[in-house]
Amino acid sequence: MPVPRSIIQQIKRIIPPLNGTLHKGQSGRVGVLGGALDYTGAPFFAAISALRLGADLSHVICSPTAAQSIKSYSPDLIVHPILCEETSYAKVEDELRSLLSRLHVLVMGPGLGREDYMQTYARLALSIAREQAMFVVLDADALYMVGKELSLVKGYRRAVLTPNVVEFKRLSESAGVSPDVPTKERAGEVSKLLGGVVVLEKGPTDLIASDTTGEAASLEASKLDEGDEERQRVREVVEVDVEGGLKRCGGQGDVLSGTVGAILAWGKCYEDGAFGDGSIPASRLPLLAAVGGSMVTRTSSRIAFQLQGRGLVTQDMLPQLGKSFSEVFGEDLWAGDKGRL
């Protein structure tokens, strides 16, 4: 079933206009937290995908062991090697608070790894993000972290979780989803048990679910659409069946987390009044970002696969993000009011 036209129209309304009215930063400042000794590609793919989709600035918050490699991949990324094992916890906390206060969204997990110090700093960053009411995207080893301690994200409805098949199985078990729940209803059940966070279950088709009907959904209601909690109590599942490529390359999930992060950053700018009429409630933004990111990423995978076939690698998807955006949302939104030269 195609994504409802009404959802696509809502996504279009939170895309920043290209008409000369916005200044640098008002089309999204994205942070990616991840990157350690063995993992440098994943945070790069997430951060550069956000830029390629149209975010203004993309920051990578990583370990010093990963910083030089990530810097060498692209001069467009702003790299902060502050997650140092030898640095005091208090110093890292101060630096994270200062940095996150300047961002619109935090993408956590690509290249994070499971080393104790990286997991500790990730928990700290998520706690600060919640205090600052930031939008967050959780992928890869950030999902491993959450699976071990569900309270980190439970009830925080500015979060989008993007599990693959293995990660979703582990998350479902941690949340206590009954094995009797039908396959296509499990994402919604995970969302409900986690208090209404948006779950993007990756698969042959992507399922994006938000269920705020459970008790846990009231934990952070004041963070979204204050004073209208009852209107927020809904269950919604969107199936994205946009055709993707037949080669599922490692790193495609990182591209997805970056595109979802970019659209969430636009949503934050929209929420803050940088553009738009403000009629779309903040509680709607995580689901819209998840749907939009899924559609663009799957389209990019298809176009890149048509060109590269079996030899497709993640880097082949990056140049196709603009073309994919145009195909999904229209050339006019990609090129702006005056078009391209």
Side-chain angles (χ1 to χ4, degrees), residues 71-129:
K71 287 181 179 181
S72 73
Y73 299 152
S74 173
D76 292 295
L77 302 180
I78 305 168
V79 181
H80 306 269
I82 65 175
L83 305 181
C84 182
E85 188 173 9
E86 292 76 27
T87 304
S88 72
Y89 184 89
K91 179 174 171 49
V92 174
E93 180 177 7
D94 288 343
E95 292 179 325
L96 280 173
R97 287 189 182 279
S98 175
L99 178 55
L100 297 190
S101 68
R102 306 195 299 272
L103 304 178
H104 294 121
V105 66
L106 182 64
V107 178
M108 302 180 61
L112 178 64
R114 298 183 183 179
E115 294 177 88
D116 288 342
Y117 80 98
M118 290 294 287
Q119 289 278 309
T120 296
Y121 289 147
R123 284 193 294 272
L124 171 62
L126 181 53
S127 174
I128 294 170

Side-chain angles (χ1 to χ4, degrees), residues 169-204:
K169 182 177 184 295
R170 186 166 56 228
L171 188 63
S172 298
E173 292 171 350
S174 297
V177 175
S178 169
D180 297 330
V181 175
T183 301
K184 288 199 172 185
E185 296 179 15
R186 290 178 184 171
E189 193 66 15
V190 172
S191 175
K192 179 179 179 179
L193 292 169
L194 294 183
V197 301
V198 169
V199 176
L200 195 172
E201 180 189 358
K202 296 178 282 194

Side-chain angles (χ1 to χ4, degrees), residues 18-216:
L18 280 176
N19 57 12
T21 62
L22 301 179
H23 59 70
K24 183 175 71 174
Q26 288 186 311
S27 288
R29 300 187 293 271
V30 176
V32 176
L33 189 137
L37 180 61
D38 294 330
Y39 304 106
T40 59
F44 162 75
F45 287 132
I48 201 68
S49 295
L51 286 183
R52 285 297 187 184
L53 195 66
D56 279 349
L57 298 168
S58 202
H59 300 249
V60 178
I61 307 166
C62 64
S63 164
T65 58
Q68 289 304 317
S69 294
I70 297 171
K71 287 181 179 181
S72 73
Y73 299 152
S74 173
D76 292 295
L77 302 180
I78 305 168
V79 181
H80 306 269
I82 65 175
L83 305 181
C84 182
E85 188 173 9
E86 292 76 27
T87 304
S88 72
Y89 184 89
K91 179 174 171 49
V92 174
E93 180 177 7
D94 288 343
E95 292 179 325
L96 280 173
R97 287 189 182 279
S98 175
L99 178 55
L100 297 190
S101 68
R102 306 195 299 272
L103 304 178
H104 294 121
V105 66
L106 182 64
V107 178
M108 302 180 61
L112 178 64
R114 298 183 183 179
E115 294 177 88
D116 288 342
Y117 80 98
M118 290 294 287
Q119 289 278 309
T120 296
Y121 289 147
R123 284 193 294 272
L124 171 62
L126 181 53
S127 174
I128 294 170
R130 289 186 66 153
E131 289 176 16
Q132 298 182 1
M134 291 182 68
F135 289 109
V136 296
V137 181
L138 300 172
D139 188 37
D141 282 325
L143 293 173
Y144 170 80
M145 172 187 74
V146 166
K148 294 174 63 178
E149 193 175 345
L150 296 177
S151 61
L152 290 172
V153 76
K154 183 175 285 188
Y156 192 60
R157 293 162 55 191
R158 288 181 177 263
V160 177
L161 280 54
T162 61
N164 60 24
V165 173
V166 174
E167 293 161 344
F168 184 76
K169 182 177 184 295
R170 186 166 56 228
L171 188 63
S172 298
E173 292 171 350
S174 297
V177 175
S178 169
D180 297 330
V181 175
T183 301
K184 288 199 172 185
E185 296 179 15
R186 290 178 184 171
E189 193 66 15
V190 172
S191 175
K192 179 179 179 179
L193 292 169
L194 294 183
V197 301
V198 169
V199 176
L200 195 172
E201 180 189 358
K202 296 178 282 194
T205 61
D206 292 345
L207 292 176
I208 294 98
S210 174
D211 189 326
T212 59
T213 63
E215 293 182 3

Side-chain angles (χ1 to χ4, degrees), residues 261-308:
I263 300 175
L264 270 178
W266 294 342
K268 177 59 177 171
C269 295
Y270 175 90
E271 180 188 21
D272 290 345
F275 61 88
D277 60 9
S279 61
I280 297 176
S283 57
R284 191 103 182 111
L285 299 176
L287 183 134
L288 296 178
V291 173
S294 171
M295 295 178 73
V296 169
T297 302
R298 293 176 70 94
T299 302
S300 177
S301 171
R302 188 200 79 229
I303 296 173
F305 177 76
Q306 289 171 344
L307 295 172
Q308 302 296 337

